[in-house]
Amino acid sequence: MPALIARPRHLARISALLRQFPVVALLGARQVGKTTLARQVMATRRGPTTVFDLESSEDLARLADPLLALRRTTGLVVIDEVQRLPELFHTLRVLVDEPGHRRRFLLLGSASPELLRQGSETLAGRIAYHEIEGFGLDEVGSDRLGRRWLRGGFPRAFLARSEGESVRWREEFVRTFLERDIPQFGLNIPAPALRRFWSMLAHYHAQTWNGSELARAFGVAHTTVQRYLDLLTNTLMVRQLQPWHANLSKRQIRSPKVYLRDSGLLHTLLGVHSQPALEGHPKVGASWEGLGVDIVLDHLGARPGEAYFWGTQAGAELDLLVVRGRTRIGFEFKRTSAPAITPSMRIALSDLALQRLYVVHGGQHAFALADRIDAVPLAQVLERVRPLR
Ligand SMILES: Nc1ncnc2c1ncn2[C@@H]1O[C@H](COP(=O)(O)OP(=O)(O)O)[C@@H](O)[C@H]1O
Ligand SMILES: [Mg+2]
């Protein structure tokens, strides 16, 4: 068993949330490292811990009468793959509302809060969410940015002993996801159709969503492609950046921008299996932009609903706008080593009233481009951009 890569930022966050909330949901794509993190959380706690894995028939049997079974527990209770038994949320609600209740529940789920909506509503005010992605740059080290880009952030893909092993792991992941995981979410979509859609979406990576164009290319109804997109979004495979609407008279773009979240899976679906192939691929710039968005959002600690993009019909645009309270920070992603200032950057800075605009680039050096506009290498984002507070 190779050594684990430490994830102290996530561990600290989960522990802090467990001090504040009776129920904490740790959400992330399949295979991203949730169960491993939960084990580490358990190891740091002094009191008793109990685990129920809802993918194990034995554990499901132990939960045949959930109220009875969970009332017997004390301390920390981990419920893994919670999306398998959404009815459980009602039981949790009963338990955490009982006077004198002191248990803590850590729920692990492979789907977004939207897919667990029932749960979110039942437990409103009692539950906090923490989403994890693949390995962040702080976890792998900035010197391994190149590998993180090519292979993506899934632990097994990133840590594979060879390029070939990583490629095979990702191909197997896609297959299992389509053939086993999707049906288990209770979603009835034929695997071949969804695979075709996912591959096609890879070619639209980092573009604004055009449902009718995709539907035409795919030969199905507009509503069908929308359903496929929502499915991949809710299972945390796809990120949709919603358009920001500034309070302006300018006409602004209204469709979301769509990214495959993991660069490694993007490359698998594009059939890109090596660094030279990636460098020569028409989607190389889009792939790099997606990596940048992923790494910046992870580093900032941005939560869903805090990240946008912005564009006007006249052509001004901003790749990423992060909004929390009064904080507004913009990011442009340029794979060149010597980015220059553009009129669009100045327009974004003033129209969106940004505190700062970072031009994240592929070079080696950080430098100021203008007042409040800084050029920062992607590999130096950790040192030069402050996480949100
Ligand atoms: N921090 C880590 N360092 C090294 N390998 C990891 C780490 N986290 C997860 N893995 C490996 O990745 C795979 C998936 O991890 P797991 O925790 O089971 O993911 P999930 O519960 O999200 O599906 C496992 O083989 C696990 O050993
Ligand atoms: Mg797991």
Side-chain angles (χ1 to χ4, degrees):
M1 206 45 205
L4 289 185
I5 294 212
R7 310 188 82 176
R9 183 164 45 93
H10 291 303
L11 276 177
R13 181 74 188 146
I14 296 164
S15 300
L17 290 175
L18 281 170
R19 283 192 289 276
Q20 286 178 52
F21 292 88
V23 187
V24 174
L26 170 59
L27 305 182
R30 286 225 171 233
Q31 295 287 326
V32 88
K34 301 175 297 294
T35 303
T36 306
L37 265 174
R39 282 202 201 102
Q40 293 176 322
V41 171
M42 289 191 283
T44 64
R45 292 183 67 101
R46 262 177 269 124
T49 56
T50 315
V51 178
F52 295 94
D53 177 0
L54 302 190
E55 294 215 315
S56 134
S57 43
E58 216 171 289
D59 286 13
L60 273 177
R62 283 163 67 211
L63 280 174
D65 183 338
L67 197 56
L68 196 68
L70 292 174
R71 247 201 208 116
R72 276 201 214 112
T73 61
T74 52
L76 177 68
V77 182
V78 175
I79 303 176
D80 204 344
E81 301 293 355
V82 71
Q83 75 281 346
R84 300 293 297 272
L85 205 58
E87 307 90 82
L88 211 55
F89 286 100
H90 290 282
T91 310
L92 295 177
R93 163 78 185 261
V94 173
L95 285 169
V96 302
D97 285 355
E98 283 175 355
H101 146 86
R102 306 207 30 174
R103 289 173 210 94
R104 287 298 196 232
F105 292 98
L106 178 58
L107 314 180
L108 314 184
S110 307
S112 71
E114 287 67 44
L115 210 65
L116 297 169
R117 192 174 297 122
Q118 193 188 354
S120 343
E121 282 165 14
T122 315
L123 286 167
R126 300 154 182 88
I127 187 168
Y129 291 91
H130 181 64
E131 258 189 47
I132 63 166
E133 303 271 337
F135 286 146
L137 212 50
D138 55 334
E139 293 161 345
V140 301
S142 295
D143 54 327
R144 292 204 283 182
L145 180 61
R147 180 198 273 213
R148 172 65 182 76
W149 182 23
L150 183 62
R151 296 184 175 189
F154 284 95
R156 297 282 303 276
F158 179 82
L159 292 170
R161 264 165 308 186
S162 66
E163 230 27 81
E165 198 180 293
S166 177
V167 166
R168 279 189 299 280
W169 187 87
R170 280 177 273 141
E171 280 170 350
E172 185 57 29
F173 177 92
V174 169
R175 205 177 60 80
T176 310
F177 183 81
L178 292 167
E179 292 174 7
R180 202 201 67 174
D181 298 345
I182 289 289
Q184 280 187 357
F185 284 124
L187 303 160
N188 183 16
I189 290 183
L194 191 57
R195 175 186 283 270
R196 269 208 303 137
F197 175 77
W198 202 357
S199 304
M200 191 180 295
L201 202 59
H203 291 274
Y204 285 84
H205 177 82
Q207 292 182 33
T208 47
W209 171 249
N210 184 336
S212 10
E213 186 185 327
L214 244 86
R216 256 195 316 278
F218 209 58
V220 296
H222 183 258
T223 47
T224 306
V225 290
Q226 186 64 48
R227 196 160 64 96
Y228 288 4
L229 178 71
D230 290 342
L231 170 60
L232 290 176
T233 306
N234 287 334
T235 50
L236 305 171
M237 292 297 125
V238 164
R239 182 196 307 287
Q240 295 187 35
L241 281 185
Q242 296 301 323
W244 178 260
H245 298 300
N247 205 0
L248 299 168
S249 53
K250 294 178 187 170
R251 292 185 59 203
Q252 298 164 76
I253 292 169
R254 296 183 173 280
S255 312
K257 219 165 144 180
V258 176
Y259 294 88
L260 269 58
R261 284 188 174 221
D262 184 71
S263 57
L265 291 187
L266 170 70
H267 300 152
T268 298
L269 290 160
L270 291 172
V272 166
H273 301 315
S274 69
Q275 192 64 37
L278 176 56
E279 303 280 351
H281 196 277
K283 297 300 289 185
V284 62
S287 170
W288 196 84
E289 177 186 326
L291 175 78
V293 169
D294 197 39
I295 281 176
V296 163
L297 290 178
D298 182 57
H299 167 62
L300 290 178
R303 294 187 282 259
E306 295 179 333
Y308 301 85
F309 83 99
W310 182 69
T312 67
Q313 306 285 1
E317 57 170 30
L318 182 66
D319 291 334
L320 178 64
L321 168 66
V322 178
V323 178
R324 178 179 290 177
R326 289 193 181 164
T327 305
R328 286 184 187 189
I329 306 174
F331 296 87
E332 275 287 297
F333 297 92
K334 306 268 177 230
R335 204 169 68 91
T336 65
S337 54
I341 198 151
T342 63
S344 169
M345 289 176 196
R346 292 196 190 277
I347 295 170
L349 194 69
S350 74
D351 281 8
L352 301 174
L354 303 177
Q355 275 99 44
R356 199 163 282 276
L357 171 57
Y358 293 101
V359 183
V360 178
H361 63 88
Q364 308 275 318
H365 303 290
F367 51 96
L369 277 167
D371 183 35
R372 289 183 293 145
I373 306 184
D374 289 329
V376 174
L378 182 54
Q380 293 177 26
V381 157
L382 302 188
E383 301 97 87
R384 297 190 183 272
V385 179
R386 224 183 306 126
L388 295 174
R389 274 181 300 198

